[in-house]
Amino acid sequence: MAQTLDIVALVVVGAGIAAMLAALRPAFLLIAEMPSRPLRRQWQVLAVLIGVFIFGYVGYVALFFGRHEDLRDLIAPLIFLLGATFVWLVTRLALSTAHDVQRVAMLEHENITDALTGLRNRRFLDL
């Protein structure tokens, strides 16, 4: 039983590591796309924290593999997986939101600018 629980814990923590690695992609895209330095810095800090969590997950496996004796010992790996899933979802949502904001800004600009001349149009003056 203990060997099976160790394997389950390893798989669950491995899935958490995979989710954290997947969260790095949208974080790096956001770092590249952020126009202001403070926002870029905050996303860089988040990417570093994700890396720290990945090392923590690996450390957990190194320290606790072979010590899972009953189902209660799977609580920590499950929490790791849920936390990693949360981070992955938040980074994907943030990237999607940033793209939506860029599209709205572009549409607003197109709405008040004449396409042929590039000058402001009547809608701009009405505002």
Side-chain angles (χ1 to χ4, degrees):
M1 172 83 169
Q3 220 174 15
T4 304
L5 290 176
D6 284 332
I7 292 171
V8 169
L10 182 64
V11 168
V12 170
V13 173
I17 291 170
M20 284 291 193
L21 288 171
L24 283 174
R25 183 178 182 279
F28 287 141
L29 289 173
L30 282 163
I31 290 168
E33 294 177 9
M34 285 296 116
S36 72
R37 187 179 180 121
L39 287 174
R40 248 191 331 269
R41 177 81 57 207
Q42 290 173 6
W43 281 103
Q44 289 168 340
V45 168
L46 181 68
V48 168
L49 285 174
I50 291 171
V52 168
F53 278 115
I54 291 170
F55 282 116
Y57 285 25
V58 171
Y60 174 85
V61 169
L63 290 173
F64 291 100
F65 189 76
R67 297 184 182 183
H68 300 94
E69 296 176 2
D70 62 14
L71 289 176
R72 288 178 291 181
D73 294 332
L74 294 179
I75 292 173
L78 288 172
I79 290 172
F80 289 165
L81 177 59
L82 292 174
T85 303
F86 174 78
V87 170
W88 174 69
L89 288 171
V90 168
T91 56
R92 286 193 54 209
L93 179 63
L95 182 62
S96 176
T97 301
H99 289 162
D100 289 345
V101 167
Q102 289 172 342
R103 280 192 292 272
V104 167
M106 183 183 67
L107 289 172
E108 287 178 347
H109 177 74
E110 288 175 356
N111 190 41
I112 60 172
T113 306
D114 181 69
L116 183 60
T117 64
L119 300 173
R120 303 289 186 189
N121 61 21
R122 166 97 188 224
R123 288 186 193 106
F124 175 77
L125 296 174
D126 289 343
L127 291 174

